[in-house]
């Protein structure tokens, strides 16, 4: 097992518990990422790495979803254990492939993208969103989480030009843009609990977590509750 397989195996239960306790916290991310997908008749989606399969709550109930993760910590029940270098699916299987915040610990990102495109049907799309290099989210993960999670955090993040030397991948990119997807909570205490579990902040007190979120990411109080600034770089690829 590589380092991040071990780390995610250890982190999976708390991460999943955070998502179950606060299912609306990342609503903007999922809603926005699925807004560009046309869920026509026999639509079949692959979500990889799916974590605990949270995308299911955001796509129509009668649509088929296959879930896969690289970590044994998440690969339970219907979630298949898959390897990013060779996905265990036939070519041209899925109408859309979706990957959220799951690529910044991979050793060979281009190979994973090629695999996602291989299993996408011609005319279908591969959508992924991950952390943009140099943003406050990058600082939060690679500095704050790295300090206060005893397993550490070192992600290789993305920029618009990440694939410029991979012409086969670059030529499939139809759109690349940074989007804000704030996390949403009813109150500060829920926000701290979510962050502690979701990011495994076992070395931080509640007040350190509160200050870190406030100072690095930024918090806004709105009519909907507390919003924490969060944003990702979205890539949309079309398989021609
Ligand atoms: C931040 S979570 C995202 C999960 C889900 N897509 C979501 O948005 O909640 C990252 C996921 O990538 C998987 N993952 C990424 N890199 C990995 C690696 N090198 N080894 C094992 N698992 C990895 C983890 O198992 C985990 O499910």
């Amino acid at each position: 097992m590589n380092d991040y397989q071990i780390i995610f195996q250890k982190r999976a239960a708390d991460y999943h518990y955070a998502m179950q306790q606060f299912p609306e916290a990342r609503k903007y991310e999922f809603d926005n990422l699925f807004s560009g997908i046309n869920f026509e008749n026999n639509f079949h989606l692959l979500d990889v790495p799916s974590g605990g399969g949270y995308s299911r709550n955001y796509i129509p109930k009668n649509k088929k979803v296959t879930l896969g993760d690289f970590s044994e910590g998440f690969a339970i029940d219907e979630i298949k254990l898959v390897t990013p270098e060779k996905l265990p699916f036939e070519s041209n299987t899925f109408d859309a492939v979706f990957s959220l915040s799951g690529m910044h610990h991979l050793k060979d990102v281009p190979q994973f993208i090629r695999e996602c495109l291989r299993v996408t049907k011609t005319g279908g799309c591969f959508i992924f969103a991950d952390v943009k290099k140099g943003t406050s989210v990058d600082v939060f993960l690679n500095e704050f989480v790295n300090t206060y999670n005893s397993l550490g955090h070192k992600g290789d993040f993305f920029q618009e030009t990440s694939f410029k030397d991979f012409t086969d991948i670059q030529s499939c990119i139809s759109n690349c843009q940074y989007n804000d997807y704030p996390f949403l909570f009813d109150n500060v205490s829920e926000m701290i609990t979510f962050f502690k579990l979701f990011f495994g902040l076992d070395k931080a007190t509640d007040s350190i977590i509160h200050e870190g979120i406030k100072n690095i990411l930024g918090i806004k109080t709105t009519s909907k509750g507390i919003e924490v600034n969060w944003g990702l770089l979205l890539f949309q690829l079309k398989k021609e």
Side-chain angles (χ1 to χ4, degrees):
M1 269 199 223
N2 66 40
D3 291 352
Y4 275 95
Q5 273 171 315
I6 295 165
I7 288 174
F8 280 115
Q9 202 165 359
K10 290 189 176 156
R11 282 187 50 197
D14 280 353
Y15 185 102
H16 190 53
Y17 186 65
M19 289 298 290
Q20 286 177 313
Q21 288 294 105
F22 305 104
E24 297 286 289
R26 297 172 63 210
K27 177 183 179 343
Y28 288 131
E29 255 177 302
F30 286 98
D31 274 347
N32 183 290
L33 290 167
F34 285 129
S35 65
I37 296 184
N38 179 11
F39 294 105
E40 57 212 5
N41 296 342
N42 295 318
F43 183 89
H44 189 180
L45 177 87
L46 170 67
D47 178 5
V48 62
S50 66
Y54 317 111
S55 55
R56 263 215 180 287
N57 299 331
Y58 292 88
I59 72 158
K61 290 281 169 270
N62 59 344
K63 301 300 168 192
K64 196 165 167 198
V65 184
T66 294
L67 303 168
D69 201 279
F70 316 136
S71 163
E72 285 173 12
F74 286 104
I76 299 163
D77 298 332
E78 59 170 340
I79 301 169
K80 282 184 208 299
L81 183 63
V82 303
T83 47
E85 299 81 16
K86 182 83 187 102
L87 294 175
F89 308 108
E90 300 272 316
S91 300
N92 298 304
T93 299
F94 302 98
D95 297 284
V97 177
F98 171 73
S99 189
L100 176 54
S101 296
M103 289 163 58
H104 56 257
H105 296 303
L106 295 185
K107 289 208 167 67
D108 191 345
V109 170
Q111 174 60 18
F112 175 62
I113 295 178
R114 289 183 185 114
E115 276 297 281
C116 289
L117 287 168
R118 179 183 66 76
V119 302
T120 301
K121 285 182 189 165
T122 302
C125 61
F126 170 42
I127 293 179
F128 73 89
D130 210 310
V131 177
K132 180 172 170 166
K133 230 177 228 177
T135 58
S136 57
V137 176
D138 170 340
V139 174
F140 186 79
L141 293 173
N142 276 357
E143 294 182 20
F144 188 81
V145 175
N146 188 45
T147 303
Y148 293 106
N149 175 325
S150 52
L151 301 168
H153 192 284
K154 280 278 169 241
D156 287 327
F157 300 132
F158 295 85
Q159 48 199 341
E160 285 82 352
T161 52
S162 286
F163 304 104
K164 69 175 175 21
D165 296 330
F166 301 91
T167 47
D168 56 331
I169 294 171
Q170 187 63 42
S171 65
C172 294
I173 299 175
S174 56
N175 183 31
C176 174
Q177 68 184 70
Y178 178 84
N179 291 320
D180 289 314
Y181 307 118
F183 288 172
L184 194 57
F185 304 96
D186 284 346
N187 54 56
V188 168
S189 150
E190 289 192 356
M191 173 188 84
I192 292 171
T193 305
F194 177 87
F195 270 74
K196 192 185 287 184
L197 294 165
F198 190 77
F199 294 109
L201 301 173
D202 55 330
K203 288 165 69 185
T205 60
D206 286 4
S207 84
I208 289 176
I209 295 173
H210 192 179
E211 287 301 301
I213 298 170
K214 205 166 65 180
N215 296 335
I216 301 170
L217 296 170
I219 299 174
K220 197 163 62 191
T221 305
T222 72
S223 57
K224 293 186 190 138
I226 308 266
E227 285 189 5
V228 176
N229 296 327
W230 192 261
L232 299 173
L233 191 58
L234 165 73
F235 289 85
Q236 290 169 306
L237 285 76
K238 181 123 179 97
K239 180 160 168 184
E240 302 289 358

